[in-house]
Amino acid sequence: MLICELSKIKRQKFIQLSLLGAFLFPIPLTILMAKDRMSFDQLFRGNVIFGELLLLPCILGVIISILFFMERDHDTLKNLVTIPVSKTKMILAKLMLMTLLSVLYSVAALGATVVGGLIIGGVEGILYRLGISIVLGVLISIAVFPVVIVIVHFNKSYIFSIIVSFIYAVAGLIITMIFSANPASVNPVASVMPVPVIMKWYLSLFPREEALTYIDPYLITTPACFGLLAVYALVSVSLTVVIYRRKEV
């Protein structure tokens, strides 16, 4: 099923452009940070915040729309069902592909960040950051699963999916930024929303500047982050399966 989904999107130019965007996005960040003489850690963090926590959910929202709407637009879902192909397996294959593309985007963004790091003065801990980037790709994909529920339920146009994905990504980033500025005021919300949870976990993995030490009490451990995202994944996948199976062919 996963191989079939891969074959469907191999001609989709948007997928290729999204990976290209992963390489291009760190360029302006590198220019800005080079002017301010910031470190490679800060460049990597900036790319995680704006390139992955903001941009990647928008891209994944469009990708999952393509994956779910292709059968609808080409009227091929009824043929798949008569084979028969389980709708549950179809959903799992699409979500697995979305997660794979998310990981590829995250790794591609790391590659561009390393190039930027060499420009601003040097890089360090590449293998460690590679592991973190792979995990971030998986976690951010899971964080987008609630958007999948909305897209599948309403079954609207690509424009609708883009708007939903954009609002979701911006809301998550705003809450994350508020958390960074004043964690006490948004901690109850940031404790349950996927994107802020990912950010609180990510910040615990690297040394922080003295100006950010006040957020230390609000950071979460790896088991807590993975456990909460696992709940999101289980609930989101279950609801998506229920909604998709009830859709008329």
Side-chain angles (χ1 to χ4, degrees):
M1 292 294 294
L2 181 59
I3 294 174
C4 290
E5 293 295 335
L6 279 169
S7 65
K8 291 179 186 177
I9 66 167
K10 64 182 179 180
R11 294 190 180 93
Q12 295 291 331
K13 298 297 183 182
F14 179 83
I15 308 297
Q16 302 170 18
L17 291 175
S18 66
L19 293 176
L20 177 62
F23 282 103
L24 296 179
F25 192 82
I27 292 177
L29 283 177
T30 302
I31 295 173
L32 293 174
M33 292 185 175
K35 291 180 179 179
D36 296 334
R37 300 181 181 276
M38 293 186 178
S39 66
F40 179 63
D41 274 339
Q42 292 171 315
L43 175 60
F44 185 69
R45 185 195 307 156
N47 187 62
V48 167
I49 293 174
F50 297 104
E52 299 194 43
L53 296 183
L54 175 62
L55 184 60
L56 184 53
C58 298
I59 293 174
L60 294 180
V62 179
I63 289 175
I64 202 64
S65 300
I66 294 173
L67 295 177
F68 275 101
F69 291 170
M70 277 193 298
E71 286 93 358
R72 184 199 67 182
D73 295 343
H74 295 91
D75 198 26
T76 57
L77 182 58
K78 61 180 68 176
N79 296 330
L80 294 173
V81 175
T82 56
I83 291 176
V85 175
S86 167
K87 287 187 176 182
T88 300
K89 291 182 179 179
M90 290 173 58
I91 291 172
L92 293 177
K94 294 177 191 297
L95 295 178
M96 287 174 62
L97 178 56
M98 184 182 78
T99 302
L100 175 61
L101 293 173
S102 179
V103 170
L104 290 176
Y105 177 98
S106 186
V107 172
L110 172 64
T113 305
V114 169
V115 174
L118 293 173
I119 294 174
I120 64 175
V123 299
E124 57 183 11
I126 296 178
L127 290 179
Y128 178 66
R129 286 176 172 79
L130 175 61
I132 297 301
S133 296
I134 293 173
V135 174
L136 277 172
V138 175
L139 295 181
I140 293 173
S141 177
I142 294 174
V144 180
F145 282 6
V147 176
V148 178
I149 298 174
V150 177
I151 292 174
V152 172
H153 174 70
F154 288 98
N155 197 30
K156 298 290 185 181
S157 64
Y158 290 101
I159 299 298
F160 174 82
S161 302
I162 293 172
I163 292 174
V164 170
S165 302
F166 179 77
I167 292 175
Y168 180 80
V170 171
L173 181 66
I174 289 174
I175 292 175
T176 300
M177 299 305 289
I178 294 175
F179 160 74
S180 299
N182 185 12
S185 65
V186 75
N187 189 54
V189 179
S191 296
V192 294
M193 289 196 65
V195 172
V197 164
I198 293 172
M199 186 61 185
K200 294 200 299 182
W201 166 74
Y202 165 79
L203 289 175
S204 70
L205 303 177
F206 296 93
R208 292 165 296 285
E209 302 92 312
E210 186 175 349
L212 289 177
T213 55
Y214 66 89
I215 68 174
D216 290 355
Y218 302 95
L219 302 181
I220 63 175
T221 63
T222 297
C225 176
F226 287 11
L228 186 56
L229 268 294
V231 172
Y232 268 102
L234 180 61
V235 173
S236 298
V237 171
S238 300
L239 288 176
T240 303
V241 169
V242 171
I243 294 171
Y244 195 66
R245 291 178 66 178
R246 290 180 178 178
K247 292 289 183 182
E248 294 184 2
V249 179

